[in-house]
Amino acid sequence: MENLHEVLKKEKYKKIKFKVTKTQHLLIKAKINGVSGNFILDTGASNSCVGFESIERFVLMAKKSKTKASGAGGTGMKTQISANNNLQLGSWKNLDFSLVIFDLSHVNEALEAYKAKPVHGIIGADVLLEGKAIIDYYNHYLYLK
């Protein structure tokens, strides 16, 4: 039987390495508008997002949003939105990508409590669905088409 990598390579999937942190989060590197950052790969997050403190870092054009964010850290959190961004994970790219911007301090405080490094944001199901994602947990690879 062919290995998973070879089968997915034939299907034009891109292979992206991730790490598993002390807190059992999946950590992946991504570039937004050409700037690299650390992100949690989160299959339970509906949208990819960055923290308010990363607006300048990733050169985001933030606009007000009426949508409220909710997650493990709370509910009813104010958000902003940034459209028309370039997102790159490994060699996989989306040249017209929208991001939710909200307060990620609760996420980073939790990570730091476990002596884990803070993150710039979260890669969510929007990317995973668009890229027809396959996650190889054993070998620590994300595959996107």
Side-chain angles (χ1 to χ4, degrees), residues 8-9 13 23 34 45 61 68 71 75 87 90 101 108 126 144:
L8 294 177
K9 189 175 180 180
Y13 273 85
T23 56
M61 301 302 289
K68 301 285 185 199
T75 59
L87 173 68
I101 305 165
N108 283 322
D126 51 352
L144 296 173

Side-chain angles (χ1 to χ4, degrees), residues 56-144:
E56 287 181 22
R57 176 188 180 92
F58 295 117
V59 195
L60 302 175
M61 301 302 289
K63 294 182 180 167
K64 290 181 183 175
S65 171
K66 291 181 181 175
T67 304
K68 301 285 185 199
S70 62
T75 59
M77 296 179 281
K78 291 184 179 181
T79 66
Q80 292 182 344
I81 191 99
S82 179
N84 307 106
N85 297 290
N86 294 333
L87 173 68
Q88 182 173 349
L89 292 116
S91 60
W92 183 89
K93 295 177 185 175
N94 179 327
L95 302 178
D96 185 19
F97 190 70
S98 293
L99 285 159
V100 173
I101 305 165
F102 77 112
D103 183 4
L104 273 180
S105 62
H106 64 285
V107 171
N108 283 322
E109 285 169 12
L111 291 171
E112 288 170 4
Y114 287 94
K115 307 225 182 311
K117 291 182 182 177
V119 295
H120 299 102
I122 295 167
I123 300 297
D126 51 352
V127 170
L128 301 174
L129 289 167
E130 180 187 331
K132 299 178 181 168
I134 296 171
I135 302 174
D136 178 353
Y137 287 94
Y138 183 77
N139 293 304
H140 300 174
Y141 285 109
L142 167 67
Y143 292 90
L144 296 173

Side-chain angles (χ1 to χ4, degrees), residues 30-37 39 57-59:
K31 283 186 181 177
I32 298 173
N33 300 325
V35 180
S36 188
F39 292 79
R57 176 188 180 92
F58 295 117
V59 195

Side-chain angles (χ1 to χ4, degrees), residues 14-31:
K14 310 289 185 186
K15 180 168 101 170
I16 304 119
K17 186 80 174 156
F18 64 80
K19 293 179 181 176
V20 179
T21 68
K22 302 176 204 180
T23 56
Q24 298 298 304
H25 288 96
L26 308 183
L27 189 67
I28 194 162
K29 292 223 181 273
K31 283 186 181 177

